[in-house]
Amino acid sequence: MTLAALFFYLFSAVLLAAGFMVISARNPVHSVLYLILAFFNAAALFVLLGAEFVAMILVIVYVGAVAVLFLFVVMMLDIDIAEMREGMLQYLPVGAAIGIVLLIELILVLGGWAVSPGAGSVLASPAPTDGLSNTEALGRVLYTDYIYVFQAAGMVLLVAMIGAIVLTLHHKPHVKRQSIGKQVARDPATAVENRNVKPGQGI
Amino acid sequence: MGPGTINTDILTALPEVLLAAGAMGLLLLGAFRPGNVVSTVNWGAAVLLAIAGLAVLTGTTGNVTAFSGAFIVDDFARLLKILALAGTVGALVLSVRFMQIEKIVRFEYSVLLVLAALGMMMMISANDLISLYMGLELQSLALYVVAAIDRNSTRASEAGLKYFVLGALSSGMLLYGCSLIYGFTGSTNFETIARALEGQGMQLGVLFGIVFLLAGLAFKVSAVPFHMWTPDVYEGAPTPVTAFFASAPKIAAMAMFVRVMYGAFPGMSEQWQQIVVFVAIASMGLGAFAAIGQTNIKRLMAYSSIGHMGFALVGLAAGTVGGVRGVIVYLMIYLAMTIGTFACIVSMRRRDGMVEDITDLAGLGRSRPMMALTMAILMFSLAGIPPLAGFFAKFYVFLAAIEAGLYPLAVLGVLASVVGCYYYLRIIKIMYFDEAGAEFEPMARELKLVLGVTAVFVVGFFAYPGPFVAAAGTAAAALF
């Protein structure tokens, strides 16, 4: 128990430090690397909670795909971070004041936090107790109870894809494109034309 | 859950399933069929929306939930879905010729409208915070893209980007509210939340969640103080797209607003009523005063729609069946007035292109008497002058507010509506009494049809209000 608590504090502390470094690092590439560190620590926290499926997904999806994508974008766009920082100092006092007010309010609210005694009985999908791994358990609720929102999420992604294509894909009319289908479908009958060229004249 | 239940679930959500499958079919048609398919896809989209409407009407009866309570179909959902679909079809009809003339011919446009309609229907039927968010996001994403569909125009791109950034922010607030509510009640299902809160009185944590949730919802109906995006987006987006923004999504968002409040938080109505009262008063006031100085008619319509959402919220604040009935009647009439007015605005075209200034309407009474007359009728109705429909819309919400004892709200609402009269009447004055400019191009046939139908509805409502009010009444009763 104490070992778990020790690791919890270790991972949480590193997570918070890494999160802070993401926004304060001078070099954007370092920011992304700290972000990856933050993801790893969050994944470790999930493992401590016994949610190994979510932990692995976090590593695979966020570290493996999203963060690497960020890294590419950051390197390709060559963002001038010093320029972006100029505004930050200017807005810092206002932003910090609002943040502190919100924080105090939230502490006031969460101070009154009490888990209602009946809350356990209304849980939609309680953690499985019959030796089911949590990948299976998630799969079961995802494809039965939550099939509707699962499909809805699919539709949202479809719209995002259509949107990206509609807004960015330009068909330039004067660009010559290779069409393998057309090339393969060519035969002498369509590709070769016989012309009767009269002597002394061109075509 | 066995195979039997999933079949009945799909049957319950048949209109949504049809729209989703149809949208994908149209997308494939547009992508793979060679040649110009835009008009085929447009027609297909209109037919698809009509079929979905038919499926809503002939489908389930009574009060049915599906997908483990995430989805609900009742009289309220059915009526509001029909309205949202009608608004989408209206906007589609307004767009077709405009898009051809402005050379924004893309088949994806109508597919996106269908997907937005799907999102709206999911919002209206949402009975769970997760399905609410999914529907909302589906609709919003489609709208962001549609706002920027004219990508060669910097104004439209700016509108799309602004809408996207602010919309994402509001979604964040909404989600934060949802997570607080989930944390304090242990469920995302509206009925379970209501049961968990029953007899508990005011809970500070849940109230915080409700405040954030309300902020997100108020953004979607463009109510003050979350209205800032509205004028810029309405002005920048292509006119038929603006017509769409002002009609169907407002109905869906308002329906969702009403269902969340009555479905999940009936026990805390005293708390959220205060917030809704404030938002309603602020929206009515801003809608009335800020529109006075506008010169662009699309911006004016933006402020007008902010004001109208304030009036509709008066009905919600009343917290009674009569109040919800008032909201529904208001939305019906608002839909007809908005689509009709935008049919006129889309027709504000001279030989050298679209014009959008209010002063461009000068002399319309002589050059196009029929268009000016119908526009004048719609303006009188928007101002709420009896015996036109707009008066009855306001009448039902104020009646509910007075019955609920919210006298200051009703009085302020009437005052705001008097101030609002000024700018609606100014348009009529410009059309009939100002020196005429160059003539507009003749109105397209389908626009005449839309304008005619809406004008007949607005004029004829006082003669046959019975069926509409009765339908709204049964729809409202389904929530209590």
Side-chain angles (χ1 to χ4, degrees):
Chain A
M1 200 64 210
T2 45
L3 199 65
L6 204 67
F7 274 108
F8 171 77
Y9 286 114
L10 174 70
F11 291 135
S12 311
V14 177
L15 175 64
L16 285 177
F20 181 74
M21 290 306 287
V22 171
I23 55 167
S24 62
R26 287 200 164 274
N27 187 332
V29 177
H30 293 174
S31 284
V32 178
L33 293 176
Y34 277 115
L35 190 66
I36 292 174
L37 181 63
F39 284 145
F40 267 115
N41 281 283
L45 286 177
F46 276 122
V47 172
L48 284 184
L49 286 173
E52 63 281 348
F53 180 72
V54 185
M56 291 310 123
I57 285 293
L58 194 69
V59 172
I60 294 169
V61 175
Y62 281 86
V63 179
V66 177
V68 171
L69 201 69
F70 274 177
L71 212 52
F72 274 118
V73 171
V74 165
M75 285 177 171
M76 276 201 252
L77 288 187
D78 189 23
I79 303 160
D80 186 358
I81 207 84
E83 197 183 307
M84 286 168 68
R85 244 157 232 265
E86 274 171 23
M88 199 162 144
L89 268 182
Q90 195 185 336
Y91 298 119
L92 191 65
V94 183
I98 294 174
I100 288 169
V101 169
L102 267 180
L103 184 70
I104 292 171
E105 285 178 346
L106 285 176
I107 289 171
L108 285 178
V109 173
L110 294 183
W113 179 293
V115 177
S116 136
S121 64
V122 296
L123 279 185
S125 348
T129 47
D130 50 352
L132 216 56
S133 80
N134 67 63
T135 315
E136 278 175 286
L138 269 177
R140 278 197 188 170
V141 291
L142 197 59
Y143 297 109
T144 55
D145 292 354
Y146 293 96
I147 183 72
Y148 173 65
V149 282
F150 184 74
Q151 292 293 332
M155 294 307 291
V156 172
L157 289 176
L158 176 70
V159 170
M161 196 178 77
I162 298 173
I165 293 172
V166 167
L167 296 180
T168 56
L169 184 68
H170 286 266
H171 276 297
K172 292 190 183 118
H174 304 299
V175 176
K176 291 202 189 309
R177 288 172 197 283
Q178 181 182 26
S179 166
I180 293 174
K182 266 189 193 164
Q183 288 177 342
V184 173
R186 264 161 72 101
D187 59 10
T190 57
V192 183
E193 191 184 354
N194 282 323
R195 287 283 190 95
N196 191 4
V197 184
K198 287 189 176 132
Q201 289 172 355
I203 293 176
Chain B
M1 187 191 281
T5 39
I6 190 80
N7 287 347
T8 49
D9 282 356
I10 289 175
L11 276 182
T12 313
L14 189 64
E16 283 78 5
V17 174
L18 282 176
L19 270 191
M24 287 188 258
L26 288 175
L27 195 64
L28 289 178
L29 181 76
F32 288 115
R33 183 113 181 263
N36 190 4
V37 287
V38 177
S39 65
T40 323
V41 175
N42 282 343
W43 273 108
V47 171
L48 190 61
L49 291 167
I51 291 174
L54 216 66
V56 171
L57 283 178
T58 58
T60 50
T61 50
N63 211 330
V64 197
T65 58
F67 300 108
S68 335
F71 186 88
I72 187 167
V73 186
D74 51 12
D75 285 331
F76 179 77
R78 274 185 283 273
L79 180 60
L80 270 298
K81 278 181 189 176
I82 295 291
L83 289 183
L85 287 171
T88 313
V89 172
L92 190 63
V93 172
L94 296 191
S95 328
V96 174
R97 193 168 302 230
F98 179 93
M99 294 300 185
Q100 276 169 6
I101 298 174
E102 300 289 315
K103 304 213 166 36
I104 326 174
V105 198
R106 308 182 64 92
F107 74 89
E108 290 96 339
Y109 174 72
S110 41
V111 175
L112 284 168
L113 285 198
V114 172
L115 287 167
L118 172 65
M120 287 179 229
M121 290 171 66
M122 288 168 59
M123 282 156 76
I124 294 169
S125 268
N127 195 34
D128 185 291
L129 292 173
I130 307 177
S131 52
L132 174 149
Y133 177 70
M134 280 300 171
L136 186 66
E137 215 51 18
L138 180 59
Q139 179 240 26
S140 306
L141 263 178
L143 295 191
Y144 304 146
V145 179
V146 168
I149 192 105
D150 183 9
R151 56 185 191 191
N152 296 322
S153 143
T154 40
R155 272 202 328 172
S157 305
E158 187 198 325
L161 190 65
K162 204 174 261 179
Y163 195 15
F164 174 67
V165 172
L166 292 175
L169 182 73
S170 84
S171 289
M173 284 199 278
L174 186 119
L175 276 181
Y176 189 47
C178 291
S179 70
L180 279 176
I181 292 165
Y182 174 63
F184 279 96
T185 61
S187 175
T188 55
N189 187 281
F190 292 171
E191 280 139 33
T192 322
I193 291 174
R195 229 177 305 131
L197 292 174
E198 212 167 56
Q200 302 245 2
M202 204 271 289
Q203 283 189 316
L204 195 60
V206 180
L207 187 60
F208 253 69
I210 293 177
V211 169
F212 278 104
L213 186 69
L214 278 174
L217 292 174
F219 178 91
K220 298 298 174 193
V221 296
S222 71
V224 178
F226 304 99
H227 64 282
M228 276 82 152
W229 58 277
T230 321
D232 293 345
V233 172
Y234 278 28
E235 189 189 358
T239 312
V241 174
T242 312
F244 181 53
F245 284 2
S247 54
K250 288 282 161 69
I251 288 170
M254 195 54 100
M256 184 177 76
F257 206 142
V258 173
R259 192 190 293 282
V260 176
M261 290 302 134
Y262 287 107
F265 308 106
M268 293 183 64
S269 55
E270 272 172 43
Q271 278 77 38
W272 58 256
Q273 255 172 10
Q274 296 172 0
I275 306 170
V276 174
V277 165
F278 165 75
V279 170
I281 291 175
S283 305
M284 291 186 294
L286 187 111
F289 284 102
I292 291 174
Q294 300 305 322
T295 54
N296 181 302
I297 191 147
K298 279 156 81 182
R299 281 189 89 85
L300 183 121
M301 285 306 288
Y303 284 107
S304 158
S305 89
I306 293 171
H308 282 291
M309 285 302 119
F311 289 117
L313 285 174
V314 170
L316 176 63
T320 56
V321 184
V324 176
R325 186 187 66 178
V327 175
I328 300 171
V329 173
Y330 204 103
L331 290 177
M332 274 181 198
I333 295 170
Y334 170 77
L335 176 71
M337 295 188 298
T338 309
I339 292 283
T341 310
F342 272 99
C344 289
I345 298 175
V346 172
S347 318
M348 289 171 63
R349 173 186 296 285
R350 299 225 169 96
R351 189 157 302 166
D352 49 348
M354 289 291 293
V355 287
E356 291 177 359
D357 269 1
I358 296 171
T359 45
D360 289 318
L361 283 166
L364 196 69
R366 277 180 296 278
S367 57
R368 303 234 167 264
M370 272 316 282
M371 182 177 160
L373 179 68
T374 40
M375 180 85 163
I377 289 172
L378 289 166
M379 286 299 137
F380 275 125
S381 177
L382 281 169
I385 291 179
L388 298 169
F391 166 74
F392 290 96
K394 291 197 170 99
F395 172 74
Y396 283 111
V397 289
F398 288 141
L399 186 71
I402 286 173
E403 277 171 358
L406 297 167
Y407 300 110
L409 180 63
V411 170
L412 284 172
V414 172
L415 288 180
S417 125
V418 172
V419 175
C421 278
Y422 166 77
Y423 57 82
Y424 294 124
L425 296 184
R426 188 166 146 249
I427 293 179
I428 298 174
K429 178 234 161 202
I430 289 172
M431 284 195 302
Y432 280 98
F433 302 108
D434 279 14
E435 207 53 48
E439 219 172 85
F440 288 148
E441 300 273 286
M443 218 175 169
R445 210 181 313 128
E446 69 272 11
L447 296 186
K448 276 184 188 159
L449 180 73
V450 171
L451 189 56
V453 170
T454 52
V456 166
F457 176 78
V458 166
V459 175
F461 184 82
F462 83 97
Y464 296 104
F468 299 105
V469 178
T474 38
L479 285 183
F480 287 87

